[in-house]
C-alpha cells in the first residue's frame, strides 16, 4: 500500500531525509525507528503530501500521493490533531461527518465514560486513544502514526499497541514511528533511521543477527577504546564491564592483548541500533 523510493528532503543544504526506500503492505506494521531528529516525521509528512520531496517518489495504493483519495489514509500526528475545547464526542462527530461516515461508538472503543469531557481536560494517554479512534473512524486502508505512544505509561502503551494490531489484522497497512527501541518487537518489520538515512531494514531478528557482541569484564584503557573504535567497533559501558559490538572475541582479544574476561554473547536490538547509528 505504501511504496517510498529514493525519498529525499533537503532544507537548504541540510538533508532531513536522504534517499530512503521502503514499503508497507496490507496487514503489515512497519516501524520507523530512530532518535529525535532522525527524519521520521519529515518522512511521514512526505507520505501524506504535506511536504513535497526534493527527489524520489511516494505511491499509496499504486497512486501518486496527489491523486490519492484522502479517505484512504488515517493519520495521527505528534500533536494529535484534536480540538482541545471540544468534547471527545464532538471531536469524533466532526471527523466522521468530514469523511461522510457514521459516527462510531465510543462505548465500543472503551471511551464512553469520557465522551462528554473536553479533550483538554483528559490525560495524555486518553487523548492518544481518542486520536486513534478519530483517525480510524472512516476505516482507512493506510494508517500513519507519528510517535503514538510518546509520553504514555506502560499500560497505556500496551493498550495502544493492541489497537494497532487489531487495525493491521483487519488489513490496513500501518506505518508507525517511535524512538522506543523496545517497541520494535511490536512491528512486523523495522526501518532504522539515523541522520535522515535508512541504515537498515528487516525484522528485529534480522537486524540483531547481523551483529556479534563481546562482553569484557575487566577495565579497558582509553587507548584500547580508541583502537577498538578504529577497527569499526561500537564500545558501550555495561556496568560492570564493557560491551563491544561489531567484532568477535578473537579480534577483541587481539586488540586488548589478552583473552581473559572476554566472551561472546547475543546482541540486543538496542546494541545493534547504536552500532548502526554511529
Amino acid at each position: 500500500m505504501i511504496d517510498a523510493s529514493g525519498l529525499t528532503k533537503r532544507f537548504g543544504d541540510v538533508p532531513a531525509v536522504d534517499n530512503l526506500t521502503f514499503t508497507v503492505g496490507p496487514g503489515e506494521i512497519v516501524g520507523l525507528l530512530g532518535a529525535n531528529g532522525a527524519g521520521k516525521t519529515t518522512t511521514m509528512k512526505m507520505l501524506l503530501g504535506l511536504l513535497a520531496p526534493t527527489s524520489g517518489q511516494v505511491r499509496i495504493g499504486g497512486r501518486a500521493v496527489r491523486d490519492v483519495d484522502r479517505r484512504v489514509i488515517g493519520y495521527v500526528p505528534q500533536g494529535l490533531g484534536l480540538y482541545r475545547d471540544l468534547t471527545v464526542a464532538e471531536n469524533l462527530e466532526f471527523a466522521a461527518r468530514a469523511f461522510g461516515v457514521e459516527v462510531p461508538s465510543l462505548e465500543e472503543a472503551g471511551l464512553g465514560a469520557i465522551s462528554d469531557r473536553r479533550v483538554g481536560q483528559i490525560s495524555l494517554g486518553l487523548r492518544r486513544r481518542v486520536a486513534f479512534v478519530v483517525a480510524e473512524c472512516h476505516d482507512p486502508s493506510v494508517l500513519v502514526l507519528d510517535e503514538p505512544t510518546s509520553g504514555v505509561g506502560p499500560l497505556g502503551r500496551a493498550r495502544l499497541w493492541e489497537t494497532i494490531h487489531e487495525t493491521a489484522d483487519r488489513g490496513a497497512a500501518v506505518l508507525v514511528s517511535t524512538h522506543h527501541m523496545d517497541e520494535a518487537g511490536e512491528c512486523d518489520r523495522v526501518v532504522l533511521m539515523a541522520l535522515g538515512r535508512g541504515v537498515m531494514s528487516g525484522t528485529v531478528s534480522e537486524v540483531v543477527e547481523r551483529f556479534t557482541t563481546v562482553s569484557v569484564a575487566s577495565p579497558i584503557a582509553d587507548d584500547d577504546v580508541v583502537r577498538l573504535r578504529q577497527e569499526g567497533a561500537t564500545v558501550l559501558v555495561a556496568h560492570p564491564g564493557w560491551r563491544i559490538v561489531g567484532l568477535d572475541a578473537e579480534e577483541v582479544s587481539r586488540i586488548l592483548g589478552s583473552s581473559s574476561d572476554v566472551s561472546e554473547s547475543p546482541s540486543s536490538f538496542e546494541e545493534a541500533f547504536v552500532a548502526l547509528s554511529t
Side-chain angles (χ1 to χ4, degrees), residues 138-202:
H138 57 292
D139 195 24
S141 55
V142 172
L143 192 60
V144 178
L145 309 172
D146 194 358
E147 306 252 2
T149 62
S150 179
V152 179
L155 181 58
R157 286 168 62 187
R159 286 175 174 169
L160 284 167
W161 275 108
E162 284 179 6
T163 309
I164 292 169
H165 281 287
E166 289 170 359
T167 302
D169 288 343
R170 291 197 294 270
V174 181
L175 180 67
V176 54
S177 70
T178 180
H179 60 268
H180 293 296
M181 294 298 106
D182 59 332
E183 293 186 345
E186 300 284 355
C187 304
D188 298 304
R189 290 185 296 113
V190 293
V191 177
L192 305 184
M193 295 188 68
L195 300 177
R197 296 178 295 108
V199 292
M200 190 175 179
S201 63

Side-chain angles (χ1 to χ4, degrees), residues 48-103:
L48 296 163
L50 301 176
L51 278 177
T54 304
S55 61
Q57 66 175 4
V58 179
R59 302 189 75 82
I60 305 291
R63 294 174 176 266
V65 173
R66 64 179 179 274
D67 299 325
V68 173
D69 187 328
R70 294 291 103 180
R71 289 172 293 184
V72 169
I73 302 172
Y75 174 45
V76 178
Q78 285 191 39
L80 301 183
L82 300 173
Y83 296 97
R84 295 172 62 89
D85 292 334
L86 297 182
T87 67
V88 170
E90 288 168 340
N91 269 274
L92 182 57
E93 182 178 359
F94 176 83
R97 289 189 175 184
F99 283 108
V101 298
E102 292 186 9
V103 181

